[in-house]
Amino acid sequence: MFPKGTKRKFSDSREEPVAGGEDVNQSSLAAVRMLSSYSLQRQSLLDMSLIKLQLCHMLVEPNLCRSVLIANTVRQIQEEMTQDGTWQIMTQALSAANAAAQCSADRLVATEVLCRQTEAAQGEQVPKPFPVVGSEGCPAEEVLEEEEEAAAAEVGMTMSTVSPQAPTSYLPGTFGMDPCWEEEETGEDDDDDDEEEEEDSEECGSGSEGEERERDSLVEDTRTAEQVFGTFEIKNPAPSPDPALEELFSDVDASYYDLDTVLTGMQSVPKMGPYDLLESLSSHGPSPLSSSTSCRSDLNELDHIMEIIVGS
Amino acid sequence: SCCVGDSTTLHSADIISTVEFNHSGELLATGDKGGRVVIFQQELESKNQPQCRGEYNVYSTFQSHEPEFDYLKSLEIEEKINKIRWLPQKNAAQFLLSTNDKTIKLWKISERDKRPEGYNLKEEDGRYRDPTTVTTLRVPVFQPMDLMVEASPRRVFANAHTYHINSISVNSDCETYLSADDLRINLWNLEITDRSFNIVDIKPVNMEELTEVITAAEFHPNQCNTFVYSSSKGTIRLCDMRASALCDQHSKLFEEPEDPSNRSFFSEIISSISDVKFSHSGRYMMTRDYLSVKIWDLNMESRPVETYQVHEYLRSKLCSLYENDCIFDKFECCWNGNDSVVMTGSYNNFFRMFDRGYRQDVTLEASRESSKPRSVLKPRKVCTGGKRKKDEISVDSLDFNKKILHTAWHPQDNIIAVATTNNLYIFQDKL
């Protein structure tokens, strides 16, 4: 089980001479802090990548090479998080949070998601649709029409179906986890959360906030991510850029220097490299396309729906 | 070794997107984001300064591509010139291929320095004469005139690419050329515009499975059946068109095993090859990835024979460079005339040269200071940590908006063209 970061206690921050037994505790605590800092920053990288996949569509025509590289990076992170068990924790936390949020009138749609049932190692690919949750219209969100779902089938990383009134959203696939992320959107609250999260990423070891960050990293998308790849085949109209997105990330800069050192230095964590996983999975050929509008063919368990918190 | 001395700078208004010398080196073409092509011509060596090679002056400017709108996809097609490639000269005129994301055009550049005068039915200004006033006949004769350089589109090769064209390469047979986009490579005959042959197709049946794209392609300089293409995963495939019509199966696959100690989430991105260039001899090829330049022997697929670090100090900054998208910058690289030196660009208007024989490298800067005539370029150094010496620049003060993506080397002489964002610098060796 991936160790969750623990909240820094007052006594921890002081460098006090301790007895031998406490030395062990301190060093393991330091290791835990380091790992939680790594997971925080890995999460930052995931969020950043998801944003990029969205923003890139705002340009004249997305650069396919860039999109593919970002998508591959997201896959790597997802795979590693799955192996760590972080993915499961996150999805469970998110579903719990979402259940609480369900009653709010401002809550947005959840969408139908295709998820892999079995362990990644087995490589079995069984699409499992999730029930569509009733949706509330949200004026700030784009509406994805059902005709575009047919287009979604052909390309790209995300699949979602949406009732015509509902805003689109993307849920990241999980590896065998039942509740997928469902989006949760409260506009301002999310902005605040994100600002907190940015501050958190600079303070290593604030573990409980880190957990919240993971839990709150719901992503909500206004465009199908298959548009990232799919514009070339079937075009979906590009929505206008979302200023909230830019505002959200406008002050993210120096914190990523920390991200650099942590991420480039800490690559020994996964036992099996992401590409080993990818190889074993892709060797099992594509599943046939489902003709049902409610069931998208997701041939690569890495290509799952991701949402980005937009902020209304 | 090459020590760059005299310099010239020239300006262009728009962002330069490609730079290419012709086969003699007399002409230098640049393409820009606005779809224009500007051709510079080297002046003949002046009698006054026999030691100095001629300078490059504007020879011709023309609008190659215009912005278009794809109505089916509701997307604009940029007019930005992605690549220019010259054809070997066959007659008095020059020919070049220029391409944007979707359409390749063959341009003829010809000179006119005389014009016919003495028409019977027309006045000199072009107005038609009243035929009843014509009482005698004369034969028009050619009179000298001011040199005029005309560019005219001779062929338009359109509608063959669904994805963005990243490369064009003229075959050594001078009859065909290839064009490569993210997923496909097409073979054209220079005379035929309404069809092309697809020779490589890596598009997966299901686009959800797409994980790799084509980043560059080039024909072998001597063997007209051989070409290479590079990928976003750091591989190069060499294909032989004699083997089959569709070259999806490579003849050779060049790939260097990953260094496990350097592995990170950014490993794949920085391994993506942004440019591939054969040596003039045809025995080697060079690839550029984000941090390095690699020289490959075509006879050895397992690893490059030489690797040069362009800006290794950026390795610890990869996340920031990912965040600001600089990690996706596509740097080009080039060989000098005798394949002894290779050159590529970097940030802060720096560019790097690696002398393969002497195992030396130098960092130079293309800037206003260096553009003073006859000034010698001073080598630059980036301080990677610890105490910064005088004249060194620290990594954190590098300007990542000032990037040199496009460089070109004269085919015979030590003359180089270096494009910063808006300016073209031409440097010559001090003779």
Side-chain angles (χ1 to χ4, degrees), chain A residues 21-306:
Chain A
E22 290 172 4
D23 267 335
V24 174
N25 287 342
Q26 292 241 336
S27 63
S28 60
L29 194 64
V32 163
R33 271 200 221 121
M34 191 166 70
L35 286 171
S36 90
S37 149
Y38 172 78
S39 85
L40 266 178
Q41 295 173 340
R42 180 177 61 185
Q43 183 67 44
S44 297
L45 184 63
L46 178 64
D47 293 341
M48 188 182 9
S49 303
L50 298 177
I51 294 273
K52 280 183 182 300
L53 284 174
Q54 289 308 304
L55 286 176
C56 72
H57 191 66
M58 298 174 184
L59 305 176
V60 168
E61 195 170 2
N63 181 330
L64 187 63
C65 180
R66 177 176 174 274
S67 304
V68 166
L69 290 172
I70 297 172
N72 291 350
T73 306
V74 170
R75 281 196 193 99
Q76 285 183 60
I77 298 173
Q78 278 187 317
E79 281 173 349
E80 194 183 282
M81 289 174 83
T82 302
Q83 290 166 26
D84 290 340
T86 318
W87 199 262
Q88 285 83 339
I89 298 166
M90 195 158 46
T91 54
Q92 281 165 358
L94 290 176
S95 69
N98 185 67
Q102 203 62 37
C103 34
S104 164
D106 295 319
R107 293 307 170 189
L108 291 179
V109 65
T111 63
E112 195 172 20
V113 176
L114 208 63
C115 290
R116 297 250 171 263
Q117 178 118 27
T118 59
E119 289 304 320
Q122 294 173 22
E124 218 179 310
Q125 297 169 4
V126 176
K128 183 181 173 187
F130 282 82
V132 176
V133 178
S135 63
E136 303 273 351
C138 175
E141 301 303 317
E142 287 260 333
V143 175
L144 185 70
E145 299 180 5
E146 278 185 349
E147 301 84 73
E148 293 171 335
E149 294 161 4
E154 179 171 345
V155 294
M157 299 188 49
T158 69
M159 284 78 40
S160 68
T161 66
V162 149
S163 60
Q165 272 71 44
T168 65
S169 54
Y170 296 93
L171 306 181
T174 60
F175 290 80
M177 295 311 298
D178 266 70
C180 285
W181 293 1
E182 291 173 303
E183 58 176 329
E184 156 182 300
E185 167 62 17
T186 50
E188 281 182 350
D189 290 349
D190 279 333
D191 285 344
D192 293 341
D193 285 344
D194 283 327
E195 280 160 19
E196 274 172 35
E197 287 155 9
E198 284 162 21
E199 289 161 22
D200 287 349
S201 69
E202 290 170 278
E203 301 168 22
C204 295
S206 33
S208 62
E209 285 141 357
E211 276 181 71
E212 278 171 17
R213 182 200 172 96
E214 289 177 13
R215 201 180 304 133
D216 292 342
S217 293
L218 302 168
V219 286
E220 159 187 281
D221 198 14
T222 58
R223 287 171 297 253
T224 56
E226 84 274 4
Q227 290 171 353
V228 166
F229 296 157
T231 51
F232 303 103
E233 298 294 331
I234 297 169
K235 173 69 180 69
N236 300 309
S240 54
D242 192 331
L245 257 183
E246 281 136 34
E247 172 200 87
L248 208 60
F249 285 79
S250 56
D251 55 359
V252 174
D253 47 9
S255 58
Y256 287 115
Y257 278 93
D258 302 326
L259 193 53
D260 281 321
T261 48
V262 171
L263 285 179
T264 52
M266 294 198 58
Q267 206 50 32
S268 54
V269 176
K271 287 192 181 55
M272 183 160 87
Y275 291 114
D276 301 331
L277 196 55
L278 188 54
E279 292 306 321
S280 66
L281 295 168
S282 59
S283 64
H284 291 267
S287 322
L289 272 174
S290 165
S291 56
S292 153
T293 56
S294 66
C295 190
R296 293 284 163 257
S297 63
D298 177 17
L299 311 182
N300 185 335
E301 72 288 337
L302 304 174
D303 304 334
H304 284 288
I305 301 167
M306 288 170 270

Side-chain angles (χ1 to χ4, degrees), chain B residues 169-178 187 199 218-228 239-242 247:
Chain B
S169 177
V170 183
N171 202 344
S172 51
D173 66 8
C174 299
E175 288 180 5
T176 57
Y177 74 96
L178 64 78
L187 181 72
I199 53 178
E218 192 176 63
F219 266 118
H220 191 278
N222 308 321
Q223 299 164 17
C224 58
N225 54 282
T226 303
F227 66 94
V228 293
C239 301
D240 186 334
M241 295 196 292
R242 298 170 301 189
C247 297

Side-chain angles (χ1 to χ4, degrees), chain A residues 72 233 235 260 275 303, chain B residues 73 163 208 268 319 322 325:
Chain A
N72 291 350
E233 298 294 331
K235 173 69 180 69
D260 281 321
Y275 291 114
D303 304 334
Chain B
K73 298 177 187 170
Y163 304 95
E208 294 167 10
E268 182 183 323
C319 191
Y322 179 70
D325 266 13

Side-chain angles (χ1 to χ4, degrees), chain B residues 251-304:
Chain B
S251 300
K252 295 192 183 183
L253 175 68
F254 298 83
E255 188 174 12
E256 184 172 23
E258 205 177 2
D259 176 7
S261 65
N262 267 335
R263 182 107 180 79
S264 76
F265 284 118
F266 307 108
S267 293
E268 182 183 323
I269 298 178
I270 63 170
S271 75
S272 175
I273 292 173
S274 51
D275 195 16
V276 63
K277 292 266 170 54
F278 278 103
S279 65
H280 292 92
S281 65
R283 189 176 154 200
Y284 298 97
M285 66 178 175
M286 164 167 55
T287 58
R288 175 70 155 98
D289 52 73
Y290 190 63
L291 297 180
S292 69
V293 160
K294 295 178 182 175
I295 313 276
W296 303 78
D297 185 321
L298 293 189
N299 298 315
M300 186 163 79
E301 301 166 58
S302 52
R303 58 184 162 78

Side-chain angles (χ1 to χ4, degrees), chain B residues 23-37:
Chain B
H23 291 266
S24 67
E26 185 205 354
L27 298 177
L28 175 66
T30 63
D32 67 26
K33 195 158 167 265
R36 285 191 321 162
V37 171

